[in-house]
């Protein structure tokens, strides 16, 4: 019955805004041209968020009651539903077009294979389930939260390619719902537009970016902000518990989001401005943040890996963070690609809007919507930018926390500009129309060109590994690779490595670096205690990305031992260019070395 009443209320387009002290604005069908009965004082426009009413200027007193209601609606940002009929039709049509894009994206990518960094995390979970300890035996550069989240995803959606796609779709759906929740009082169409473009840009980045850690972090940030906004808007402090859970989980995936807890300060300031108690919200938020951190501590303690984790945190990880750094000019150029022209237009619109607002004594971009929410969104944008720049790698998925907040804020401000006059209105309409009719379809076209049918690298590796023993090699095979696909093949064949080293870039850095020497010593000790039957050496090198096997020569001791005890049984090179993202990747090459006395040659 409650659902039926809500639906009937929507049909009559009756909207109520505000909390406390009868401060709400209520109106019914558009043909009603009067102020609601509850607002008999025509000298003031009620503040929709329960603060003191603002006196009307002489210009406002000269307006009709209907104009004053419409103006109040604009300040809250709900004029999109009360505007002219043509605007409503245009937004409704655009929404259906966006839904069509999203549906096409799902259908086009449902069968994408399991490749990329997500496979590495899946493989760590597989090794954990085979009894290996993280950081003590599994040598990786990821935080524990990535493993815990991936374990939940694998046991919820499945461990295969379809499960990964469902997890990726769920993340994008959660991002869209969070954007909608954040923008609900202001502009729901803007949220739908931003969510669609975010999903399509993610797909445009290519198959390897599926369910990346930074995508999970971006979704957790958006959800955390949505919960915090809900807590402040409704005055319900317990919603801050959900914010804390999101913030704490994001921090356990990458420490670059540690400042996210500062949103508790924004919440406290907002509550203070509304005359409400701040302590409950801060306590609930702190409790929620502590839960994921405690879960990670218990996980490491159970695995007896606290010391190893601490050692890697201050040793091997800073070493990895310094590899492959990009100049800041490159990072800035690629930070918002391909949305750079719209960012420039957005900044111009903001500046022009502020100038026009001072002239009209109005506020642009829903300043009355609430100061703290606007500042909180700017904080989220800055934190996303800091996370991207701080990692210094310039990988496409590192942009996701930045893009999530940037797209949402741009969409909300462009939509607000459509309700202005003159060039501002033209700019807002042009920007949103370009998103719907250019950026989205072009991204969808690029997504459709990615070749997911021919997974040549996996087919070659699967065939060679089967020839050498297949399942019998579990525990006796070792990859020397970073991201060329060897670990991917082992995971999909459910084979356990001889060592816990998932990448080989630790070994080849020129010069005598303490971390490199430590990694070499650990690897050497393991392979001497349990020599692998098979080595698969990928031609790729990181961070130089030179295509050659000369990396082995940079560790003469290992190179001599490998050639003395193993024979090369295969030297493979793919025959086709790999089209799994926007860059045409050269065919993958690898060599297979078999220990003397093991298996047969071909």
């Amino acid at each position: 019955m409650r659902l039926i009443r809500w639906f009937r209320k929507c049909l009559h387009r009756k909207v109520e805004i505000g909390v406390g002290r009868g401060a709400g604005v209520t109106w019914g069908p558009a043909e009603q041209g009067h102020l609601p009965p509850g607002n008999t004082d025509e000298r003031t426009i009620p503040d929709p968020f329960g603060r003191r009413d603002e006196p009307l200027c002489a210009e406002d007193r000269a307006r009709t009651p209907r104009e004053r209601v419409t103006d109040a609606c604009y300040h809250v940002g709900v004029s999109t539903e009360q505007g002219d009929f043509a605007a409503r039709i245009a937004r409704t049509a655009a929404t259906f077009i966006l839904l069509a894009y999203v549906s096409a994206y799902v259908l086009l990518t449902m069968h994408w294979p399991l490749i990329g960094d997500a496979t590495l995390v899946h493989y760590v979970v597989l090794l954990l389930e085979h009894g290996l300890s993280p950081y003590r035996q599994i040598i990786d550069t990821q935080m524990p939260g990535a493993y815990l989240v991936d374990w939940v995803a694998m046991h919820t959606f499945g461990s295969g390619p379809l499960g990964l796609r469902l997890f990726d779709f769920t993340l994008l759906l959660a991002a869209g719902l969070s954007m909608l929740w954040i923008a609900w009082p202001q502009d729901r169409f803007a949220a739908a537009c931003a969510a669609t473009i975010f999903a399509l840009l993610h797909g445009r980045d290519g198959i390897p970016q599926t369910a990346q850690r930074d995508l999970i972090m971006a979704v957790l940030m958006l959800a955390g902000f949505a919960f915090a906004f809900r807590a402040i808007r409704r005055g319900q402090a317990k919603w801050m518990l959900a914010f804390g859970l999101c913030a704490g989980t994001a921090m356990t995936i990458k420490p670059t989001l540690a400042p996210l807890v500062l949103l508790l300060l924004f919440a406290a300031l907002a509550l203070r401005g509304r005359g409400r108690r701040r302590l409950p919200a801060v306590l609930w938020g702190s409790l929620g943040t502590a839960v994921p951190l405690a879960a990670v501590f218990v996980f490491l303690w159970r695995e007896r890996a606290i010391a190893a984790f601490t050692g890697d945190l201050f040793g091997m990880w800073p070493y990895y963070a310094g590899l492959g750094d990009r100049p800041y000019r490159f990072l800035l150029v690629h930070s918002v690609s391909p949305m750079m022209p719209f960012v420039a237009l957005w900044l111009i619109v903001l500046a022009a809007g502020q100038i026009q607002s001072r002239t009209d004594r109005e506020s642009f971009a829903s300043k009355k919507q609430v100061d703290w929410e606007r500042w909180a969104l700017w904080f989220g944008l800055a934190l996303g930018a800091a996370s991207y720049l701080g990692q210094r790698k310039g990988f496409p998925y590192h942009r996701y926390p930045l893009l999530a907040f940037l797209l949402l804020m741009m969409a909300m401000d462009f939509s607000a500009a459509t309700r202005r006059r003159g060039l501002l209105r033209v700019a807002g309409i042009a920007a949103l129309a370009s998103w719907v009719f250019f950026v989205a379809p072009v991204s969808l076209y690029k997504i459709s060109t990615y070749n997911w049918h021919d997974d040549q690298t996996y087919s070659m590796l699967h065939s060679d590994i089967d020839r050498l023993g297949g399942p019998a090699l579990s525990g006796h095979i070792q990859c020397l690779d970073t991201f060329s696909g060897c670990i991917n093949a082992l995971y999909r064949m459910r084979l356990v490595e001889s060592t816990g080293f998932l990448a080989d870039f630790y070994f080849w850095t020129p010069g005598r670096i303490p971390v490199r020497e430590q990694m070499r010593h650990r690897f050497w000790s393991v392979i001497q205690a349990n020599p692998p039957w098979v080595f698969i050496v990928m031609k790729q090198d990181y961070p130089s990305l030179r295509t050659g096997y000369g990396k082995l020569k940079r560790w003469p001791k290992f190179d001599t031992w490998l050639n003395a005890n193993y024979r090369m049984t295969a030297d493979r090179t793919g025959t086709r260019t790999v089209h799994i993202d926007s860059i045409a990747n050269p065919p993958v090459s690898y060599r297979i070395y078999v220990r003397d006395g093991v298996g047969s040659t071909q």
Side-chain angles (χ1 to χ4, degrees):
M1 293 301 296
R2 293 179 62 187
L3 181 62
I4 295 175
R5 287 195 297 270
W6 175 84
F7 184 68
R8 291 178 60 188
K9 182 178 179 180
C10 290
L11 289 178
H12 287 83
R13 303 198 311 275
K14 182 176 180 180
V15 182
E16 296 181 0
I17 305 174
V19 291
R21 294 199 299 110
V25 177
T26 304
W27 65 92
E31 60 270 13
Q32 289 179 312
H34 56 79
L35 286 172
N39 184 17
T40 57
D41 186 358
E42 294 189 358
R43 293 174 301 170
T44 61
I45 292 179
D47 187 317
F49 290 92
R51 294 171 297 194
R52 64 182 179 84
D53 296 337
E54 295 187 1
L56 291 176
C57 60
E59 178 184 354
D60 285 332
R61 293 194 192 97
R63 297 180 181 180
T64 66
R66 168 67 181 278
E67 290 173 337
R68 290 200 291 272
V69 172
T70 302
D71 185 65
C73 297
Y74 163 72
H75 285 308
V76 193
V78 297
S79 58
T80 58
E81 292 188 0
Q82 303 297 324
D84 59 274
F85 180 74
R88 293 200 300 272
I89 291 297
R91 288 171 180 260
T92 301
T95 301
F96 278 105
I97 293 173
L98 294 173
L99 289 175
Y101 289 147
V102 172
S103 301
Y105 168 66
V106 171
L107 294 176
L108 287 172
T109 64
M110 179 65 76
H111 302 290
W112 275 2
L114 184 63
I115 59 176
D117 287 352
T119 311
L120 293 176
V121 188
H122 275 24
Y123 193 63
V124 171
V125 175
L126 176 68
L127 296 180
L128 291 172
E129 292 177 346
H130 279 78
L132 276 71
S133 174
Y135 310 112
R136 284 196 303 114
Q137 297 169 307
I138 304 173
I139 312 303
D140 192 27
T141 57
Q142 302 182 76
M143 292 281 287
Y147 307 145
L148 298 179
V149 171
D150 199 69
W151 183 90
V152 172
M154 290 175 64
H155 288 77
T156 302
F157 302 102
S159 58
L162 179 59
L164 187 65
R165 293 307 302 146
L166 292 177
F167 180 42
D168 195 62
F169 294 148
T170 301
L171 290 173
L172 296 177
L173 177 61
L177 292 176
S178 299
M179 290 181 180
L180 189 63
W181 203 347
I182 291 171
W184 189 268
Q186 179 174 350
D187 198 322
R188 297 185 283 281
F189 170 74
C193 196
T196 301
I197 299 301
F198 181 68
L200 294 178
L201 291 182
H202 166 58
R204 181 174 177 163
D205 286 337
I207 304 176
Q209 312 309 329
T210 301
Q212 281 280 11
R213 290 160 292 166
D214 289 73
L215 176 62
I216 301 173
M217 292 158 52
V219 173
L220 289 170
M221 286 181 67
L222 287 170
F225 274 65
F227 289 130
F229 285 14
R230 175 81 172 186
I232 306 305
R233 289 169 182 170
R234 294 297 184 91
Q236 298 170 342
K238 290 185 178 180
W239 282 102
M240 294 302 295
L241 175 66
F243 159 77
L245 291 173
C246 293
T249 304
M251 291 164 54
T252 64
I253 296 175
K254 283 189 178 180
T256 54
L257 292 190
L260 188 57
V261 296
L262 294 178
L263 192 63
L264 289 172
L265 177 60
F266 281 93
L269 293 175
L271 289 170
R272 180 182 179 183
R274 296 163 187 266
R276 296 174 182 162
R277 296 177 60 194
R278 293 165 289 171
L279 185 59
V282 174
L283 291 179
W284 280 112
S286 301
L287 175 62
T289 305
V291 170
L293 300 178
V296 164
F297 177 82
V298 172
F299 168 70
L300 295 175
W301 173 78
R302 180 177 176 273
E303 297 290 337
R304 296 178 295 162
I306 294 178
F309 169 76
T310 305
D312 286 348
L313 185 62
F314 296 102
M316 184 256 290
W317 291 359
Y319 163 74
Y320 166 71
L323 297 178
D325 283 358
R326 298 279 193 172
Y328 281 110
R329 182 176 63 179
F330 175 92
L331 296 176
L332 292 175
V333 169
H334 291 81
S335 60
V336 294
S337 177
M339 304 299 291
M340 184 66 76
F342 297 100
V343 175
L345 177 61
W346 176 55
L347 296 176
I348 294 173
V349 165
L350 285 180
Q354 291 299 328
I355 295 174
Q356 189 182 104
S357 297
R358 291 176 182 176
T359 304
D360 297 344
R361 287 175 300 196
E362 295 175 350
S363 79
F364 182 66
S366 298
K367 182 179 179 182
K368 278 194 177 184
Q369 175 206 357
V370 84
D371 326 286
W372 93 270
E373 287 191 9
R374 186 72 181 176
W375 281 108
L377 290 177
W378 277 111
F379 170 69
L381 178 64
L383 184 55
S387 177
Y388 170 76
L389 295 174
Q391 296 183 70
R392 294 290 304 275
K393 297 290 189 292
F395 295 149
Y397 65 91
H398 287 171
R399 307 174 302 151
Y400 292 152
L402 166 63
L403 279 179
F405 283 86
L406 179 64
L407 290 173
L408 178 59
M409 294 183 68
M410 284 199 300
M412 293 168 68
D413 290 344
F414 284 144
S415 185
T418 64
R419 300 188 291 272
R420 306 290 283 191
R421 66 174 187 273
L423 291 178
L424 274 178
R425 180 182 177 87
V426 173
I429 294 175
L432 293 178
S434 297
W435 284 20
V436 175
F437 297 107
F438 178 73
V439 176
V442 168
S443 299
L444 199 59
Y445 169 75
K446 287 182 176 292
I447 292 169
S448 68
T449 63
Y450 297 152
N451 183 8
W452 57 268
H453 301 83
D454 183 13
D455 195 355
Q456 185 184 51
T457 301
Y458 173 70
S459 299
M460 292 166 53
L461 285 167
H462 188 283
S463 176
D464 282 328
I465 294 173
D466 268 345
R467 173 179 56 83
L468 294 170
L473 292 179
S474 187
H476 305 286
I477 187 172
Q478 178 64 40
C479 293
L480 290 178
D481 184 21
T482 297
F483 49 74
S484 292
C486 185
I487 292 294
N488 177 275
L490 295 190
Y491 172 74
R492 293 163 72 173
M493 298 180 71
R494 299 301 190 266
L495 300 180
V496 177
E497 270 197 314
S498 296
T499 76
F501 281 81
L502 305 186
D504 65 345
F505 60 82
Y506 319 99
F507 310 139
W508 320 124
T509 305
R512 194 172 183 84
I513 301 174
V515 173
R516 187 202 65 180
E517 296 303 316
Q518 178 188 7
M519 292 295 105
R520 284 183 176 182
H521 175 73
R522 293 177 65 176
F523 183 72
W524 182 261
S525 299
V526 176
I527 62 174
Q528 292 305 305
N530 179 31
W533 295 353
V534 175
F535 273 102
I536 300 179
V537 182
M538 307 302 290
K539 193 175 184 180
Q540 157 268 335
D541 190 10
Y542 179 81
S544 64
L545 301 182
R546 291 188 295 267
T547 55
Y549 298 104
K551 61 183 181 180
L552 298 175
K553 301 296 183 182
R554 298 202 291 271
W555 188 4
K557 180 180 179 180
F558 173 78
D559 184 50
T560 302
W561 176 80
L562 182 67
N563 289 312
N565 296 279
Y566 292 77
R567 61 187 183 278
M568 187 175 68
T569 63
D571 188 351
R572 310 289 192 204
T573 299
T575 59
R576 292 179 292 278
T577 302
V578 181
H579 292 278
I580 56 176
D581 52 28
S582 58
I583 301 174
N585 301 280
V588 172
S589 301
Y590 63 88
R591 289 176 178 174
I592 295 180
Y593 294 83
V594 179
R595 186 171 174 81
D596 291 338
V598 175
S600 59
T601 62
Q602 179 175 338

